């Protein structure tokens, strides 16, 4: 069982215990995506499982940002004692969501209703940054179909890390 399938099963159990409840799952865009970003069970896996468990009843909001900083740790796995540091987001490539929507944005935040754009797929690259220090050997901008992955996209022009202590 993958980590993402285990997360989806936990959500399923909560829903079974509370059948009339509406659930809000706040997680990394790479985990909630309806289709796998990295073509594996862990990279859109939880969202893919949830889309199958709750057909026509799973709405996904993805997030992206064009520039700024974010908090990372040098620890392989985050723990309570992990020291967080600021890391600069790498420049977005030309064929990325971040570059494309940053050019169109008049304000600081843009909401993109992906379902209303077209019936066709929208293959593009998108930043998938995690909590670890960026490595040159890992592509932070995998290519995938954003429309198959998200229903709505919130694009923030410039991000800064959350406060940490």
């Amino acid at each position: 069982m993958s980590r993402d399938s285990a997360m989806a099963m936990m959500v399923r159990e909560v829903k079974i215990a509370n059948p009339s409840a509406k659930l809000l799952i706040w997680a990394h865009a790479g985990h909630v995506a309806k289709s796998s970003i990295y073509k594996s069970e862990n990279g859109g896996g939880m969202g893919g499982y949830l889309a199958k468990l709750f057909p026509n009843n799973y709405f996904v909001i993805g997030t992206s940002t064009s520039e700024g900083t974010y908090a990372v740790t040098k620890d392989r796995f985050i723990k309570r004692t992990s020291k967080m540091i600021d890391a600069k987001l790498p420049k977005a490539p030309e064929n990325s969501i971040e570059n494309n929507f940053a050019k169109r944005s008049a304000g600081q935040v843009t909401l993109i209703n992906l379902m209303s754009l077209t019936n066709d797929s929208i293959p593009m690259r998108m930043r998938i940054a995690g909590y670890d220090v960026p490595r040159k050997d890992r592509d932070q901008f995998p290519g995938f179909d954003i429309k198959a992955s998200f229903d709505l996209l919130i694009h923030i022009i410039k991000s800064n890390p959350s406060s940490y202590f």
Side-chain angles (χ1 to χ4, degrees), residues 55-76:
N56 302 316
N57 201 12
Y58 180 58
F59 187 87
V60 181
I61 301 171
T63 57
S64 69
T65 187
S66 292
E67 61 183 81
T69 58
Y70 67 116
V72 299
T73 183
K74 293 180 180 178
D75 295 340
R76 172 69 176 103

Side-chain angles (χ1 to χ4, degrees), residues 4 29-49 51-52 124 128 142-146 148-150:
D4 279 37
H31 290 293
V32 296
K34 291 180 183 179
S35 63
S36 181
I37 291 170
Y38 288 108
K39 309 299 179 236
S40 70
E41 292 177 339
N42 286 319
M46 179 184 67
Y49 289 113
K52 289 175 187 164
M124 263 186 152
I128 301 295
F144 62 97
D145 182 356
I146 63 167
S149 299
F150 310 112

